[in-house]
């Protein structure tokens, strides 16, 4: 067990534990902050997998963007502390069946997939490769996504003007 | 590289990593904060025709150390109705966010915390933690002034991140790299190779770049100034209306951590501006080490030039603070969305056209 393994288990523990607390805590501000640690842990795991660009984008988009928006929304709401969030258990049997099915599918795909494990010395930078793929092989998808985001932007602006 | 030196000294990867990552804190941020606090007080005093702290040491040079000794002894007050866990974590989160930026700052060709390929983008990503920490501090204090200050601060940082990123993007388009060390190495030679003077290449493009780059430099300087919440953009702390913003309720060492991270942030944004536009650690005129044939001297000179440029821009931040009045909230947003972002977009478009042609 070398240092990378220890760091991996650290990030994995942060991700799983904080994700667990996100759904179990009763305070909405707390769950927003537990989400911060979940995103951080996921970004750390991306780095360990050698996906440096995705890790950075994960931090910028989720921590710097979405999480801050959630916090803004929560803090601008009146009487945030007295909001009762339902965290009890209802519909136990259907939920158990659904969870068991999902877990079974996930486990089956994890066991059946032939994972390619290559011994690499040091993962190289991925930014250039991602950029090349985006403007060559996936150019149309990339442009379509851009148009989609633009539509969302214009829609948000026009809704805010009313 | 310094890492190799520590690796030879300790014989273990892990210890070398730890020492390398703690180095900026102990040899740089703490002494810098000690210096900068006194410097700020002296600059403000001399601008208002006063002398500033004069009692402790010669012309008050030990004043900050006395202040820190006082802050350590202060009682750590937590308001009764504050949210204790978040209240205690918030200063740590803010400081961790601003210290994380130092990992990717190239102090000299021999010392960079981590030579990652996405240096600039990492620094931008790390600032997200600062925003989250500030919101945490404001909310957990259970004080309406703190909450207002935190909301203003977060809104301001998020808005001004857009012009910053647009300018950074234009630099990336010209140089084709996001690695701050490579970026600094590209601007080697004399000062006309710096990005603010059109970058290292010669020819017609360089002369078209010069005015655009100077405008870009002004945009990124204004927007990073807003990101560290300094006057004229200090409405998050506006002491005449909000007491002192999100750190109103903090005292003792927790307040000192906010203070430390504010000064660390000031240097960090100056360092980014320096590395992107003013050649990073490159000397404007050439190295004494080359002149005397002593090559071990060059990294030390580079460190000197980098900190000198950084501290100069910190000085400009202080100078602006004691010169300009504070902006109103609507003026602040108008400046960002109606002026800085459109200009940055036009610059990005022109630079894109030139680099394609």
């Amino acid at each position: 067990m070398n240092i990378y393994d220890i760091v991996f288990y650290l990030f994995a523990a942060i991700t799983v534990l904080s994700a667990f607390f996100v759904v179990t805590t009763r305070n909405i501000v707390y769950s927003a902050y537990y989400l911060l640690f979940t995103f951080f842990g996921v970004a750390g795991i991306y780095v360990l997998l050698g996906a440096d660009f995705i890790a950075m984008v994960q931090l910028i988009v989720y921590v710097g963007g979405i999480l801050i928006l959630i916090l803004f929304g929560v803090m601008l709401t009146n009487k945030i502390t007295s909001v009762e969030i339902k965290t009890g258990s209802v519909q136990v049997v259907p939920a158990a069946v659904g969870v068991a099915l999902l877990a079974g599918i996930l486990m089956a795909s994890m066991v059946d997939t032939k994972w390619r494990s290559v011994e690499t010395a040091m993962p190289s930078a991925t930014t250039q490769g991602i950029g090349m793929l985006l403007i060559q092989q996936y150019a149309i998808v990339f442009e379509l996504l851009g148009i989609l985001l633009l539509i969302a932007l214009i829609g948000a602006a026009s809704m805010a003007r009313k | 590289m310094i890492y190799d030196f520590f690796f030879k000294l300790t014989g273990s990867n892990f210890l070398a990593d730890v020492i390398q990552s703690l180095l900026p804190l102990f040899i740089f941020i703490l002494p810098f904060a000690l210096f900068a606090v006194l410097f700020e007080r002296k600059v403000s005093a001399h601008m208002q025709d006063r002398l500033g702290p004069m009692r402790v040491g010669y012309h008050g040079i030990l004043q900050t150390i006395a202040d820190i000794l006082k802050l350590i002894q202060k009682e750590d007050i937590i308001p009764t109705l504050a949210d204790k866990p978040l209240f205690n974590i918030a200063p740590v989160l803010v400081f961790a966010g601003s210290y994380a930026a130092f990992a990717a700052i190239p102090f000299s060709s021999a010392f960079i915390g981590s030579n990652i390929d996405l240096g600039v983008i990492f620094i931008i990503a790390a600032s997200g933690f600062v925003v989250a920490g500030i919101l945490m501090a404001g909310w957990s204090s259970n004080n309406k002034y703190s909450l207002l200050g935190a909301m203003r601060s977060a809104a301001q940082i998020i808005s001004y991140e857009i012009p910053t990123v647009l300018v950074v993007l234009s630099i990336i388009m010209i140089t084709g790299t996001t690695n701050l060390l490579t970026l600094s190495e590209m601007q080697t030679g004399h000062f006309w190779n710096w990005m603010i003077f059109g970058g290292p290449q010669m020819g017609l493009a360089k002369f078209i770049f010069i005015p655009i780059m100077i405008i870009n430099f002004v945009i990124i300087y204004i927007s990073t100034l807003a990101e560290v919440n300094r006057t004229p953009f200090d409405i998050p702390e506006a002491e005449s209306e909000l007491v002192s913003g999100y750190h109103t309720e903090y005292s003792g060492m927790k307040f000192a951590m906010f203070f430390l991270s504010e000064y660390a942030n000031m240097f960090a944004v100056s360092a980014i501006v320096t590395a992107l536009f003013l050649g990073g650690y490159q000397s404007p005129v050439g190295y004494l080490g080359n002149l005397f044939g002593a090559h071990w001297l060059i990294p030390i000179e580079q460190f000197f030039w980098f900190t000198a440029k950084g501290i100069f821009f910190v000085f400009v931040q202080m100078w602006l603070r004691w010169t300009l009045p504070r902006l109103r909230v609507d003026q602040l947003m108008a400046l960002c969305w109606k002026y800085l972002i459109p200009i940055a977009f036009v610059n990005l478009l022109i630079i894109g056209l030139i680099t394609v042609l």
Side-chain angles (χ1 to χ4, degrees), chain A residues 3-4 27 29-30 33 36-37 39-40 52-57 59-60 63-65 67-69 71-76 80-81 125-128, chain B residues 14 17 83-86 89 93 116-118 121-126 128-129 131-137 139 147 150-152 154-155 158 161 178:
Chain A
I3 182 122
Y4 292 102
N27 187 328
V29 178
Y30 276 29
Y33 278 113
L36 172 82
F37 290 102
F39 291 148
F40 173 72
D52 53 352
F53 186 75
I54 298 181
M56 290 306 126
V57 171
L59 283 187
I60 291 179
V63 176
L67 186 87
I68 304 295
L69 263 180
L71 285 173
F72 251 82
V74 168
M75 288 179 185
L76 283 174
I80 28 174
T81 42
T126 57
T127 321
Q128 201 174 10
Chain B
F14 178 69
D17 277 335
D83 194 311
K84 279 195 191 61
L86 292 187
I89 297 170
L93 193 62
I116 43 175
D117 198 56
L118 288 157
I121 300 184
F122 172 75
I123 293 176
I124 294 165
F129 286 99
V131 185
I134 287 174
L135 278 173
M136 191 191 263
W139 186 80
L147 185 58
M151 303 290 269
R152 283 180 177 187
I158 291 173
E161 222 159 55
T178 47

Side-chain angles (χ1 to χ4, degrees), chain B residues 34-108:
Chain B
L34 282 181
F35 161 77
V37 173
L38 180 73
F39 190 51
E40 168 124 47
R41 294 177 68 176
K42 280 291 184 188
V43 167
S44 72
H46 284 282
M47 285 194 176
Q48 296 164 344
D49 217 358
R50 293 183 287 119
L51 285 173
M54 289 291 282
R55 306 242 171 198
V56 195
Y58 174 73
H59 275 249
I61 46 172
L62 299 175
Q63 180 68 44
T64 323
I65 295 168
D67 282 345
I68 284 184
L69 287 179
K70 185 194 76 176
L71 274 175
I72 290 173
Q73 296 170 43
K74 285 260 178 178
E75 185 190 352
D76 180 35
I77 301 168
I78 301 175
T80 330
L81 289 175
D83 194 311
K84 279 195 191 61
L86 292 187
F87 189 81
N88 289 333
I89 297 170
V92 182
L93 193 62
V94 171
F95 184 71
S98 52
Y99 185 52
F102 278 79
I105 289 178
F107 282 97
S108 92

Side-chain angles (χ1 to χ4, degrees), chain B residues 10-319:
Chain B
T10 58
S12 118
N13 261 325
F14 178 69
L15 277 177
D17 277 335
V18 170
I19 296 174
Q20 164 119 346
S21 53
L22 287 177
L23 215 54
L25 181 67
F26 287 109
I27 70 160
F28 195 75
I29 297 182
L30 293 178
F32 170 75
L34 282 181
F35 161 77
V37 173
L38 180 73
F39 190 51
E40 168 124 47
R41 294 177 68 176
K42 280 291 184 188
V43 167
S44 72
H46 284 282
M47 285 194 176
Q48 296 164 344
D49 217 358
R50 293 183 287 119
L51 285 173
M54 289 291 282
R55 306 242 171 198
V56 195
Y58 174 73
H59 275 249
I61 46 172
L62 299 175
Q63 180 68 44
T64 323
I65 295 168
D67 282 345
I68 284 184
L69 287 179
K70 185 194 76 176
L71 274 175
I72 290 173
Q73 296 170 43
K74 285 260 178 178
E75 185 190 352
D76 180 35
I77 301 168
I78 301 175
T80 330
L81 289 175
D83 194 311
K84 279 195 191 61
L86 292 187
F87 189 81
N88 289 333
I89 297 170
V92 182
L93 193 62
V94 171
F95 184 71
S98 52
Y99 185 52
F102 278 79
I105 289 178
F107 282 97
S108 92
S109 60
F111 183 70
I112 176 166
S114 166
N115 187 11
I116 43 175
D117 198 56
L118 288 157
V120 200
I121 300 184
F122 172 75
I123 293 176
I124 294 165
S127 71
F129 286 99
V130 180
V131 185
I134 287 174
L135 278 173
M136 191 191 263
W139 186 80
S140 63
S141 296
N142 204 355
N143 173 332
K144 59 187 170 191
Y145 297 122
S146 294
L147 185 58
L148 265 177
M151 303 290 269
R152 283 180 177 187
S153 168
Q156 181 177 321
I157 294 176
I158 291 173
S159 308
Y160 278 87
E161 222 159 55
I162 300 168
T164 314
V165 172
L166 287 174
V167 172
V168 169
L169 207 59
S170 67
I171 297 279
I172 294 173
M173 274 163 70
I174 294 172
T175 57
T177 180
T178 47
N179 186 328
L180 281 171
L181 202 65
T182 323
L183 208 66
S184 307
E185 270 160 20
M186 283 170 108
Q187 307 177 53
T188 185
H190 293 280
F191 62 86
W192 54 81
N193 283 344
W194 292 355
M195 288 312 292
I196 193 170
F197 300 117
Q201 82 278 22
M202 286 309 269
L204 185 63
K206 185 176 171 82
F207 292 98
I208 307 171
F209 276 151
I210 291 175
I212 298 174
M213 277 310 177
I214 290 174
I215 297 171
N216 263 350
F217 172 74
V218 174
I219 292 175
I220 200 174
Y221 195 76
I222 294 174
S223 50
T224 51
L225 190 65
E227 276 189 56
V228 291
N229 298 333
R230 300 276 302 178
T231 333
F233 307 104
D234 75 334
I235 53 159
E237 286 169 36
E239 57 266 25
S240 47
E241 32 182 320
L242 289 184
V243 192
S244 73
Y246 53 87
H247 46 65
T248 304
E249 298 284 0
Y250 283 90
S251 61
M253 278 317 280
K254 284 179 200 150
F255 172 73
M257 283 189 89
F258 279 116
F259 216 58
L260 198 62
S261 67
E262 182 180 333
Y263 281 93
N265 264 335
M266 276 167 71
F267 186 81
V269 297
S270 304
I272 296 163
V273 171
T274 308
L276 289 179
F277 280 93
L278 291 154
Y281 52 73
Q282 303 288 354
S283 151
V285 285
Y287 296 108
L288 284 175
N290 279 335
L291 202 66
F292 300 135
H295 289 285
W296 54 270
L297 202 63
I298 294 176
I300 300 169
E301 277 184 70
Q302 286 171 334
F303 182 74
F304 165 75
W305 282 111
F306 189 78
T307 38
K309 289 173 195 173
I311 287 173
F312 174 73
F313 284 116
V314 171
F315 168 68
V316 178
Q317 288 177 347
M318 293 172 181
W319 180 6

Side-chain angles (χ1 to χ4, degrees), chain A residues 93-111:
Chain A
V93 180
V97 172
V99 168
L101 264 175
L102 183 67
I105 293 168
L106 284 178
M107 280 304 288
S109 55
M110 261 164 67
V111 173

